[in-house]
Amino acid sequence: MEAALPNFFFHDLHPAPEDFHAEVIAGLRGENKRLPPKLFYDEQGSQLFDAITRLPEYYPTRTEIGLLQRHGPDMAGLVGDDGLLLELGSGSNIKIRILLEALRLQAYAPIDISREFLRLSAGAIAQDHPALQVHAICTDYSKPIELPRCFDTERRTVFFPGSSIGNFEPEQARELMQRVAALLGPDGRLLIGVDLKKDPERLHAAYNDSQGITACFNLNLLTRLNRELDADFDVSAFRHHAFYNEPLGRVEMHLIATIRQRVRVDGCCFEFQTGESIHTENSYKYSVDEFQALAAQAGLIGEAVWQDDDALFSIHCLKAA
Ligand SMILES: C[S@@+](CC[C@H](N)C(=O)[O-])C[C@H]1O[C@@H](n2cnc3c(N)ncnc32)[C@H](O)[C@@H]1O
């Protein structure tokens, strides 16, 4: 733990390099090759995601921001004052800045796996809010989260924006929300952003932008493996592929091999046939009722839900049942 400003603390619990190696090798060894989306987020990946959020086709970020601007005071009323707010996958922190206008907090704990990006974004929040204790935690939130001791407060809120819950299989999403329910305690609240089911064409455009930024974001994963795992992917021999899988209610992102090839990763060899895919991300979309039913299985009940006039995006306020 280190302090950069008197109110800024950085807790580095980043997964060990061996875990990174093990997840990649296991993912590429399977019959259907896959890599978990958390691996997108090295520093370059975080910057590319930020660029995605500003694209005209990418409606989720600006819609969720609109909901926070419009309903922030109502959200703050439910969450209550003077507690600790943990944010899962805090990224550039743009959304918490809006909530901080309506909320009075003692401490804010942004949690993210992208170490340097977290350090910079969370440090900027600490600088702009000198009365707020900012405890940035670099860790993998898909695993049980260990909170530093100083977080023994009565009231905890968890903020999980960006519909990142949709990156988990429904069963894993339920498990994650169960762990979050245990973090909240009896008086806490979970404020969670969830992308809604909608016209497949709109979804297709959001994940296949005309400037090709989403493609760069997807392909950057291979560049990262080349740099950090001594891999030799020819990035130009893969292409981005994203589509809405309607029966499963999810957008899928893949990297497709454009030629037959052999790739080495950390001393292990992998064969790719032409057209073979590495499945890199799912983004499940939920109706309000579907999501509330999933949350109920995790022991959380809905207290309020907000959605925009075009029914693109929702924010749920949940509490322990
Ligand atoms: C889709 S972005 C959303 C960013 C921001 N919350 C927003 O709403 O725009 C996902 C964020 O979560 C982080 N992230 C993804 N998987 C994670 C994991 N397993 N553990 C911790 N952080 C993760 C990424 O680094 C990134 O900042």
PDB file of all heavy atoms in Angstrom, residues 229-256:
ATOM      1  N   LEU A 229       3.455 -12.612 -22.474  1.00  0.00           N
ATOM      2  CA  LEU A 229       3.590 -14.071 -22.338  1.00  0.00           C
ATOM      3  C   LEU A 229       4.507 -14.637 -23.412  1.00  0.00           C
ATOM      4  O   LEU A 229       4.401 -15.821 -23.741  1.00  0.00           O
ATOM      5  CB  LEU A 229       2.219 -14.756 -22.405  1.00  0.00           C
ATOM      6  CG  LEU A 229       1.347 -14.662 -21.154  1.00  0.00           C
ATOM      7  CD1 LEU A 229       0.078 -15.484 -21.310  1.00  0.00           C
ATOM      8  CD2 LEU A 229       2.092 -15.147 -19.904  1.00  0.00           C
ATOM      9  N   ASP A 230       5.352 -13.768 -23.956  1.00  0.00           N
ATOM     10  CA  ASP A 230       6.319 -14.219 -24.942  1.00  0.00           C
ATOM     11  C   ASP A 230       5.644 -15.039 -26.049  1.00  0.00           C
ATOM     12  O   ASP A 230       6.135 -16.092 -26.462  1.00  0.00           O
ATOM     13  CB  ASP A 230       7.405 -15.058 -24.228  1.00  0.00           C
ATOM     14  CG  ASP A 230       8.598 -15.304 -25.131  1.00  0.00           C
ATOM     15  OD1 ASP A 230       8.807 -14.479 -26.041  1.00  0.00           O
ATOM     16  OD2 ASP A 230       9.295 -16.323 -24.936  1.00  0.00           O
ATOM     17  N   ALA A 231       4.483 -14.542 -26.512  1.00  0.00           N
ATOM     18  CA  ALA A 231       3.751 -15.229 -27.585  1.00  0.00           C
ATOM     19  C   ALA A 231       4.182 -14.659 -28.937  1.00  0.00           C
ATOM     20  O   ALA A 231       4.829 -13.612 -29.004  1.00  0.00           O
ATOM     21  CB  ALA A 231       2.244 -15.023 -27.391  1.00  0.00           C
ATOM     22  N   ASP A 232       3.854 -15.385 -30.021  1.00  0.00           N
ATOM     23  CA  ASP A 232       4.231 -14.863 -31.346  1.00  0.00           C
ATOM     24  C   ASP A 232       3.018 -14.815 -32.292  1.00  0.00           C
ATOM     25  O   ASP A 232       3.103 -15.253 -33.441  1.00  0.00           O
ATOM     26  CB  ASP A 232       5.397 -15.661 -31.944  1.00  0.00           C
ATOM     27  CG  ASP A 232       5.041 -17.120 -32.171  1.00  0.00           C
ATOM     28  OD1 ASP A 232       3.896 -17.528 -31.822  1.00  0.00           O
ATOM     29  OD2 ASP A 232       5.892 -17.858 -32.695  1.00  0.00           O
ATOM     30  N   PHE A 233       1.894 -14.311 -31.792  1.00  0.00           N
ATOM     31  CA  PHE A 233       0.717 -14.122 -32.641  1.00  0.00           C
ATOM     32  C   PHE A 233       1.055 -13.134 -33.752  1.00  0.00           C
ATOM     33  O   PHE A 233       1.625 -12.066 -33.485  1.00  0.00           O
ATOM     34  CB  PHE A 233      -0.457 -13.529 -31.849  1.00  0.00           C
ATOM     35  CG  PHE A 233      -1.202 -14.526 -31.023  1.00  0.00           C
ATOM     36  CD1 PHE A 233      -0.930 -14.648 -29.664  1.00  0.00           C
ATOM     37  CD2 PHE A 233      -2.186 -15.335 -31.586  1.00  0.00           C
ATOM     38  CE1 PHE A 233      -1.632 -15.566 -28.897  1.00  0.00           C
ATOM     39  CE2 PHE A 233      -2.892 -16.243 -30.815  1.00  0.00           C
ATOM     40  CZ  PHE A 233      -2.608 -16.363 -29.469  1.00  0.00           C
ATOM     41  N   ASP A 234       0.679 -13.473 -34.991  1.00  0.00           N
ATOM     42  CA  ASP A 234       0.708 -12.501 -36.080  1.00  0.00           C
ATOM     43  C   ASP A 234      -0.670 -11.821 -36.043  1.00  0.00           C
ATOM     44  O   ASP A 234      -1.660 -12.396 -36.521  1.00  0.00           O
ATOM     45  CB  ASP A 234       0.950 -13.220 -37.413  1.00  0.00           C
ATOM     46  CG  ASP A 234       0.829 -12.269 -38.591  1.00  0.00           C
ATOM     47  OD1 ASP A 234       0.555 -11.058 -38.369  1.00  0.00           O
ATOM     48  OD2 ASP A 234       0.997 -12.731 -39.736  1.00  0.00           O
ATOM     49  N   VAL A 235      -0.711 -10.621 -35.464  1.00  0.00           N
ATOM     50  CA  VAL A 235      -2.011  -9.975 -35.208  1.00  0.00           C
ATOM     51  C   VAL A 235      -2.755  -9.731 -36.525  1.00  0.00           C
ATOM     52  O   VAL A 235      -3.988  -9.774 -36.573  1.00  0.00           O
ATOM     53  CB  VAL A 235      -1.801  -8.661 -34.412  1.00  0.00           C
ATOM     54  CG1 VAL A 235      -3.129  -7.946 -34.158  1.00  0.00           C
ATOM     55  CG2 VAL A 235      -1.118  -8.963 -33.078  1.00  0.00           C
ATOM     56  N   SER A 236      -1.984  -9.549 -37.614  1.00  0.00           N
ATOM     57  CA  SER A 236      -2.643  -9.280 -38.900  1.00  0.00           C
ATOM     58  C   SER A 236      -3.297 -10.544 -39.472  1.00  0.00           C
ATOM     59  O   SER A 236      -4.017 -10.474 -40.466  1.00  0.00           O
ATOM     60  CB  SER A 236      -1.638  -8.698 -39.901  1.00  0.00           C
ATOM     61  OG  SER A 236      -0.706  -9.699 -40.245  1.00  0.00           O
ATOM     62  N   ALA A 237      -3.050 -11.693 -38.852  1.00  0.00           N
ATOM     63  CA  ALA A 237      -3.652 -12.939 -39.339  1.00  0.00           C
ATOM     64  C   ALA A 237      -4.908 -13.309 -38.552  1.00  0.00           C
ATOM     65  O   ALA A 237      -5.367 -14.461 -38.584  1.00  0.00           O
ATOM     66  CB  ALA A 237      -2.626 -14.075 -39.275  1.00  0.00           C
ATOM     67  N   PHE A 238      -5.451 -12.339 -37.810  1.00  0.00           N
ATOM     68  CA  PHE A 238      -6.727 -12.521 -37.099  1.00  0.00           C
ATOM     69  C   PHE A 238      -7.629 -11.333 -37.409  1.00  0.00           C
ATOM     70  O   PHE A 238      -7.146 -10.228 -37.659  1.00  0.00           O
ATOM     71  CB  PHE A 238      -6.504 -12.600 -35.574  1.00  0.00           C
ATOM     72  CG  PHE A 238      -5.913 -13.914 -35.142  1.00  0.00           C
ATOM     73  CD1 PHE A 238      -4.540 -14.127 -35.224  1.00  0.00           C
ATOM     74  CD2 PHE A 238      -6.726 -14.938 -34.680  1.00  0.00           C
ATOM     75  CE1 PHE A 238      -3.989 -15.342 -34.848  1.00  0.00           C
ATOM     76  CE2 PHE A 238      -6.180 -16.156 -34.303  1.00  0.00           C
ATOM     77  CZ  PHE A 238      -4.817 -16.368 -34.392  1.00  0.00           C
ATOM     78  N   ARG A 239      -8.947 -11.575 -37.362  1.00  0.00           N
ATOM     79  CA  ARG A 239      -9.881 -10.455 -37.545  1.00  0.00           C
ATOM     80  C   ARG A 239     -10.955 -10.480 -36.459  1.00  0.00           C
ATOM     81  O   ARG A 239     -11.285 -11.544 -35.918  1.00  0.00           O
ATOM     82  CB  ARG A 239     -10.509 -10.483 -38.946  1.00  0.00           C
ATOM     83  CG  ARG A 239     -11.454 -11.613 -39.170  1.00  0.00           C
ATOM     84  CD  ARG A 239     -12.131 -11.578 -40.541  1.00  0.00           C
ATOM     85  NE  ARG A 239     -12.851 -12.822 -40.749  1.00  0.00           N
ATOM     86  CZ  ARG A 239     -14.063 -13.075 -40.284  1.00  0.00           C
ATOM     87  NH1 ARG A 239     -14.710 -12.163 -39.615  1.00  0.00           N
ATOM     88  NH2 ARG A 239     -14.639 -14.253 -40.497  1.00  0.00           N
ATOM     89  N   HIS A 240     -11.463  -9.267 -36.186  1.00  0.00           N
ATOM     90  CA  HIS A 240     -12.529  -9.079 -35.195  1.00  0.00           C
ATOM     91  C   HIS A 240     -13.853  -9.592 -35.755  1.00  0.00           C
ATOM     92  O   HIS A 240     -14.176  -9.341 -36.914  1.00  0.00           O
ATOM     93  CB  HIS A 240     -12.616  -7.566 -34.905  1.00  0.00           C
ATOM     94  CG  HIS A 240     -13.833  -7.119 -34.178  1.00  0.00           C
ATOM     95  ND1 HIS A 240     -14.027  -7.362 -32.838  1.00  0.00           N
ATOM     96  CD2 HIS A 240     -14.925  -6.407 -34.589  1.00  0.00           C
ATOM     97  CE1 HIS A 240     -15.174  -6.822 -32.462  1.00  0.00           C
ATOM     98  NE2 HIS A 240     -15.749  -6.239 -33.500  1.00  0.00           N
ATOM     99  N   HIS A 241     -14.636 -10.280 -34.924  1.00  0.00           N
ATOM    100  CA  HIS A 241     -15.964 -10.730 -35.338  1.00  0.00           C
ATOM    101  C   HIS A 241     -16.896 -10.594 -34.135  1.00  0.00           C
ATOM    102  O   HIS A 241     -16.598 -11.135 -33.063  1.00  0.00           O
ATOM    103  CB  HIS A 241     -15.872 -12.196 -35.782  1.00  0.00           C
ATOM    104  CG  HIS A 241     -17.176 -12.789 -36.218  1.00  0.00           C
ATOM    105  ND1 HIS A 241     -18.008 -12.189 -37.125  1.00  0.00           N
ATOM    106  CD2 HIS A 241     -17.787 -13.955 -35.859  1.00  0.00           C
ATOM    107  CE1 HIS A 241     -19.075 -12.938 -37.312  1.00  0.00           C
ATOM    108  NE2 HIS A 241     -18.970 -14.015 -36.564  1.00  0.00           N
ATOM    109  N   ALA A 242     -17.983  -9.821 -34.297  1.00  0.00           N
ATOM    110  CA  ALA A 242     -18.948  -9.660 -33.194  1.00  0.00           C
ATOM    111  C   ALA A 242     -20.349  -9.780 -33.760  1.00  0.00           C
ATOM    112  O   ALA A 242     -20.636  -9.253 -34.839  1.00  0.00           O
ATOM    113  CB  ALA A 242     -18.763  -8.295 -32.525  1.00  0.00           C
ATOM    114  N   PHE A 243     -21.223 -10.470 -33.044  1.00  0.00           N
ATOM    115  CA  PHE A 243     -22.605 -10.636 -33.516  1.00  0.00           C
ATOM    116  C   PHE A 243     -23.528 -10.889 -32.323  1.00  0.00           C
ATOM    117  O   PHE A 243     -23.067 -11.303 -31.254  1.00  0.00           O
ATOM    118  CB  PHE A 243     -22.709 -11.807 -34.501  1.00  0.00           C
ATOM    119  CG  PHE A 243     -22.379 -13.140 -33.891  1.00  0.00           C
ATOM    120  CD1 PHE A 243     -23.378 -13.982 -33.407  1.00  0.00           C
ATOM    121  CD2 PHE A 243     -21.056 -13.554 -33.751  1.00  0.00           C
ATOM    122  CE1 PHE A 243     -23.073 -15.203 -32.809  1.00  0.00           C
ATOM    123  CE2 PHE A 243     -20.736 -14.773 -33.146  1.00  0.00           C
ATOM    124  CZ  PHE A 243     -21.747 -15.592 -32.686  1.00  0.00           C
ATOM    125  N   TYR A 244     -24.815 -10.625 -32.521  1.00  0.00           N
ATOM    126  CA  TYR A 244     -25.792 -10.888 -31.464  1.00  0.00           C
ATOM    127  C   TYR A 244     -26.315 -12.310 -31.609  1.00  0.00           C
ATOM    128  O   TYR A 244     -26.885 -12.665 -32.647  1.00  0.00           O
ATOM    129  CB  TYR A 244     -26.954  -9.884 -31.554  1.00  0.00           C
ATOM    130  CG  TYR A 244     -27.946 -10.042 -30.423  1.00  0.00           C
ATOM    131  CD1 TYR A 244     -27.520 -10.058 -29.090  1.00  0.00           C
ATOM    132  CD2 TYR A 244     -29.308 -10.174 -30.668  1.00  0.00           C
ATOM    133  CE1 TYR A 244     -28.414 -10.205 -28.045  1.00  0.00           C
ATOM    134  CE2 TYR A 244     -30.218 -10.310 -29.618  1.00  0.00           C
ATOM    135  CZ  TYR A 244     -29.758 -10.332 -28.308  1.00  0.00           C
ATOM    136  OH  TYR A 244     -30.641 -10.479 -27.274  1.00  0.00           O
ATOM    137  N   ASN A 245     -26.074 -13.106 -30.611  1.00  0.00           N
ATOM    138  CA  ASN A 245     -26.588 -14.479 -30.574  1.00  0.00           C
ATOM    139  C   ASN A 245     -27.958 -14.401 -29.890  1.00  0.00           C
ATOM    140  O   ASN A 245     -28.057 -14.412 -28.658  1.00  0.00           O
ATOM    141  CB  ASN A 245     -25.595 -15.345 -29.773  1.00  0.00           C
ATOM    142  CG  ASN A 245     -26.015 -16.795 -29.727  1.00  0.00           C
ATOM    143  OD1 ASN A 245     -27.201 -17.109 -29.833  1.00  0.00           O
ATOM    144  ND2 ASN A 245     -25.043 -17.676 -29.577  1.00  0.00           N
ATOM    145  N   GLU A 246     -28.990 -14.273 -30.718  1.00  0.00           N
ATOM    146  CA  GLU A 246     -30.327 -13.969 -30.182  1.00  0.00           C
ATOM    147  C   GLU A 246     -30.854 -15.077 -29.260  1.00  0.00           C
ATOM    148  O   GLU A 246     -31.350 -14.775 -28.166  1.00  0.00           O
ATOM    149  CB  GLU A 246     -31.302 -13.677 -31.326  1.00  0.00           C
ATOM    150  CG  GLU A 246     -32.490 -12.905 -30.838  1.00  0.00           C
ATOM    151  CD  GLU A 246     -33.213 -12.125 -31.933  1.00  0.00           C
ATOM    152  OE1 GLU A 246     -32.814 -12.180 -33.116  1.00  0.00           O
ATOM    153  OE2 GLU A 246     -34.195 -11.459 -31.584  1.00  0.00           O
ATOM    154  N   PRO A 247     -30.731 -16.367 -29.644  1.00  0.00           N
ATOM    155  CA  PRO A 247     -31.283 -17.391 -28.740  1.00  0.00           C
ATOM    156  C   PRO A 247     -30.648 -17.326 -27.350  1.00  0.00           C
ATOM    157  O   PRO A 247     -31.309 -17.589 -26.357  1.00  0.00           O
ATOM    158  CB  PRO A 247     -30.933 -18.719 -29.435  1.00  0.00           C
ATOM    159  CG  PRO A 247     -30.706 -18.357 -30.868  1.00  0.00           C
ATOM    160  CD  PRO A 247     -30.210 -16.942 -30.896  1.00  0.00           C
ATOM    161  N   LEU A 248     -29.358 -16.970 -27.273  1.00  0.00           N
ATOM    162  CA  LEU A 248     -28.705 -16.922 -25.962  1.00  0.00           C
ATOM    163  C   LEU A 248     -28.752 -15.526 -25.344  1.00  0.00           C
ATOM    164  O   LEU A 248     -28.295 -15.324 -24.210  1.00  0.00           O
ATOM    165  CB  LEU A 248     -27.248 -17.406 -26.074  1.00  0.00           C
ATOM    166  CG  LEU A 248     -27.095 -18.877 -26.449  1.00  0.00           C
ATOM    167  CD1 LEU A 248     -25.621 -19.274 -26.521  1.00  0.00           C
ATOM    168  CD2 LEU A 248     -27.808 -19.772 -25.429  1.00  0.00           C
ATOM    169  N   GLY A 249     -29.264 -14.542 -26.089  1.00  0.00           N
ATOM    170  CA  GLY A 249     -29.413 -13.188 -25.537  1.00  0.00           C
ATOM    171  C   GLY A 249     -28.090 -12.521 -25.226  1.00  0.00           C
ATOM    172  O   GLY A 249     -27.976 -11.780 -24.246  1.00  0.00           O
ATOM    173  N   ARG A 250     -27.077 -12.764 -26.079  1.00  0.00           N
ATOM    174  CA  ARG A 250     -25.780 -12.155 -25.776  1.00  0.00           C
ATOM    175  C   ARG A 250     -25.062 -11.740 -27.054  1.00  0.00           C
ATOM    176  O   ARG A 250     -25.214 -12.399 -28.107  1.00  0.00           O
ATOM    177  CB  ARG A 250     -24.900 -13.134 -24.992  1.00  0.00           C
ATOM    178  CG  ARG A 250     -24.458 -14.334 -25.813  1.00  0.00           C
ATOM    179  CD  ARG A 250     -23.776 -15.399 -24.965  1.00  0.00           C
ATOM    180  NE  ARG A 250     -23.089 -16.388 -25.798  1.00  0.00           N
ATOM    181  CZ  ARG A 250     -22.683 -17.572 -25.390  1.00  0.00           C
ATOM    182  NH1 ARG A 250     -22.897 -17.954 -24.142  1.00  0.00           N
ATOM    183  NH2 ARG A 250     -22.044 -18.392 -26.205  1.00  0.00           N
ATOM    184  N   VAL A 251     -24.283 -10.652 -26.957  1.00  0.00           N
ATOM    185  CA  VAL A 251     -23.366 -10.314 -28.046  1.00  0.00           C
ATOM    186  C   VAL A 251     -22.093 -11.119 -27.800  1.00  0.00           C
ATOM    187  O   VAL A 251     -21.602 -11.188 -26.667  1.00  0.00           O
ATOM    188  CB  VAL A 251     -23.050  -8.802 -28.060  1.00  0.00           C
ATOM    189  CG1 VAL A 251     -21.956  -8.485 -29.073  1.00  0.00           C
ATOM    190  CG2 VAL A 251     -24.307  -7.993 -28.376  1.00  0.00           C
ATOM    191  N   GLU A 252     -21.593 -11.747 -28.839  1.00  0.00           N
ATOM    192  CA  GLU A 252     -20.333 -12.501 -28.713  1.00  0.00           C
ATOM    193  C   GLU A 252     -19.239 -11.788 -29.488  1.00  0.00           C
ATOM    194  O   GLU A 252     -19.487 -11.288 -30.591  1.00  0.00           O
ATOM    195  CB  GLU A 252     -20.495 -13.911 -29.313  1.00  0.00           C
ATOM    196  CG  GLU A 252     -21.496 -14.747 -28.574  1.00  0.00           C
ATOM    197  CD  GLU A 252     -21.541 -16.191 -29.088  1.00  0.00           C
ATOM    198  OE1 GLU A 252     -20.622 -16.612 -29.842  1.00  0.00           O
ATOM    199  OE2 GLU A 252     -22.504 -16.890 -28.731  1.00  0.00           O
ATOM    200  N   MET A 253     -18.054 -11.733 -28.928  1.00  0.00           N
ATOM    201  CA  MET A 253     -16.890 -11.216 -29.667  1.00  0.00           C
ATOM    202  C   MET A 253     -15.897 -12.362 -29.830  1.00  0.00           C
ATOM    203  O   MET A 253     -15.649 -13.128 -28.884  1.00  0.00           O
ATOM    204  CB  MET A 253     -16.206 -10.068 -28.930  1.00  0.00           C
ATOM    205  CG  MET A 253     -17.001  -8.799 -28.911  1.00  0.00           C
ATOM    206  SD  MET A 253     -16.004  -7.286 -29.079  1.00  0.00           S
ATOM    207  CE  MET A 253     -14.829  -7.454 -27.784  1.00  0.00           C
ATOM    208  N   HIS A 254     -15.351 -12.432 -31.023  1.00  0.00           N
ATOM    209  CA  HIS A 254     -14.379 -13.481 -31.351  1.00  0.00           C
ATOM    210  C   HIS A 254     -13.204 -12.863 -32.096  1.00  0.00           C
ATOM    211  O   HIS A 254     -13.342 -11.806 -32.726  1.00  0.00           O
ATOM    212  CB  HIS A 254     -15.015 -14.535 -32.270  1.00  0.00           C
ATOM    213  CG  HIS A 254     -16.146 -15.290 -31.648  1.00  0.00           C
ATOM    214  ND1 HIS A 254     -16.028 -16.583 -31.201  1.00  0.00           N
ATOM    215  CD2 HIS A 254     -17.433 -14.941 -31.403  1.00  0.00           C
ATOM    216  CE1 HIS A 254     -17.195 -16.998 -30.708  1.00  0.00           C
ATOM    217  NE2 HIS A 254     -18.060 -16.012 -30.823  1.00  0.00           N
ATOM    218  N   LEU A 255     -12.079 -13.573 -32.073  1.00  0.00           N
ATOM    219  CA  LEU A 255     -10.963 -13.279 -32.977  1.00  0.00           C
ATOM    220  C   LEU A 255     -10.854 -14.481 -33.902  1.00  0.00           C
ATOM    221  O   LEU A 255     -10.729 -15.627 -33.428  1.00  0.00           O
ATOM    222  CB  LEU A 255      -9.673 -13.080 -32.178  1.00  0.00           C
ATOM    223  CG  LEU A 255      -9.623 -11.781 -31.370  1.00  0.00           C
ATOM    224  CD1 LEU A 255      -8.496 -11.813 -30.341  1.00  0.00           C
ATOM    225  CD2 LEU A 255      -9.447 -10.578 -32.308  1.00  0.00           C
ATOM    226  N   ILE A 256     -10.940 -14.217 -35.216  1.00  0.00           N
ATOM    227  CA  ILE A 256     -10.991 -15.323 -36.176  1.00  0.00           C
ATOM    228  C   ILE A 256      -9.651 -15.400 -36.928  1.00  0.00           C
ATOM    229  O   ILE A 256      -9.181 -14.382 -37.484  1.00  0.00           O
ATOM    230  CB  ILE A 256     -12.116 -15.085 -37.218  1.00  0.00           C
ATOM    231  CG1 ILE A 256     -13.459 -14.803 -36.514  1.00  0.00           C
ATOM    232  CG2 ILE A 256     -12.215 -16.251 -38.196  1.00  0.00           C
ATOM    233  CD1 ILE A 256     -14.128 -15.972 -35.886  1.00  0.00           C
TER     234      ILE A 256
END
